[in-house]
Amino acid sequence: MKPILDENQPIFRQIAEIIMNDIVEGNLKEGDQVPSENELSNFYNINRATVRKGLQSLVDQDFIYKKRGLGMFVKEGAYLKIIQMRQKQYRSDYILPLVEEGKRLGMDLETIIQLIKMEEENID
């Protein structure tokens, strides 16, 4: 099933995010060819220039590379770089605010950890 594009976010960023998700989830492995501009443009019914901008952002971040006349490919080490980038983002987006709010509410770190463990049990 194709992901639905969110009109509240730049589409080129969403295209880049979809490709990164495919790398993280193992659908695209290092050395694999990335879908072409035409394929992505047709699949999502969007402008090729928008797709190109998304793919170029991945080239700029050193996750994919161009082979002249052949297309774009997942760069060696891309998986690990994406994981590290997302872990850093996860920390700043979720962990730090969680700990700060817990402290504001008078909770120590052990209490916060215990609440997280309880939620994890509910998920399973």
Side-chain angles (χ1 to χ4, degrees):
M1 186 168 104
K2 78 176 168 183
I4 298 170
L5 299 176
D6 179 359
E7 57 191 53
N8 296 319
Q9 293 183 28
I11 294 174
F12 79 93
R13 284 193 188 137
Q14 293 178 68
I15 294 298
E17 195 69 27
I18 289 166
I19 300 295
M20 286 190 291
N21 286 343
D22 281 345
I23 294 169
V24 168
E25 294 166 2
N27 299 324
L28 284 173
K29 296 182 180 16
E30 295 173 358
D32 284 355
Q33 187 169 11
V34 175
S36 71
E37 288 178 12
N38 282 335
E39 290 171 322
L40 292 167
S41 174
N42 290 335
F43 188 73
Y44 290 104
N45 197 28
I46 56 176
N47 189 298
R48 268 187 62 204
T50 302
V51 172
R52 184 176 305 121
K53 189 173 179 180
L55 293 175
Q56 185 59 50
S57 75
L58 296 175
V59 170
D60 294 344
Q61 294 176 79
D62 215 25
F63 299 141
I64 65 174
Y65 64 97
K66 299 176 188 178
K67 277 189 182 178
R68 189 178 179 109
L70 295 177
M72 300 216 185
F73 296 81
V74 179
K75 194 163 190 178
E76 188 173 326
Y79 171 82
L80 185 58
K81 285 174 78 171
I82 294 169
I83 291 294
Q84 290 171 338
M85 177 189 77
R86 287 186 170 183
Q87 287 175 344
K88 185 177 178 181
Q89 191 68 43
Y90 183 82
R91 179 179 182 267
S92 65
D93 287 352
Y94 299 103
I95 302 301
L96 294 177
L98 173 76
V99 171
E100 288 171 3
E101 182 63 14
K103 286 181 179 181
R104 274 194 289 276
L105 297 173
M107 300 163 76
D108 64 7
L109 188 57
E110 281 305 312
T111 303
I112 295 169
I113 292 169
Q114 197 59 35
L115 287 171
I116 292 169
K117 286 181 179 180
M118 287 173 26
E119 287 303 317
E120 181 183 41
E121 290 171 7
N122 290 333
I123 292 173
D124 296 335

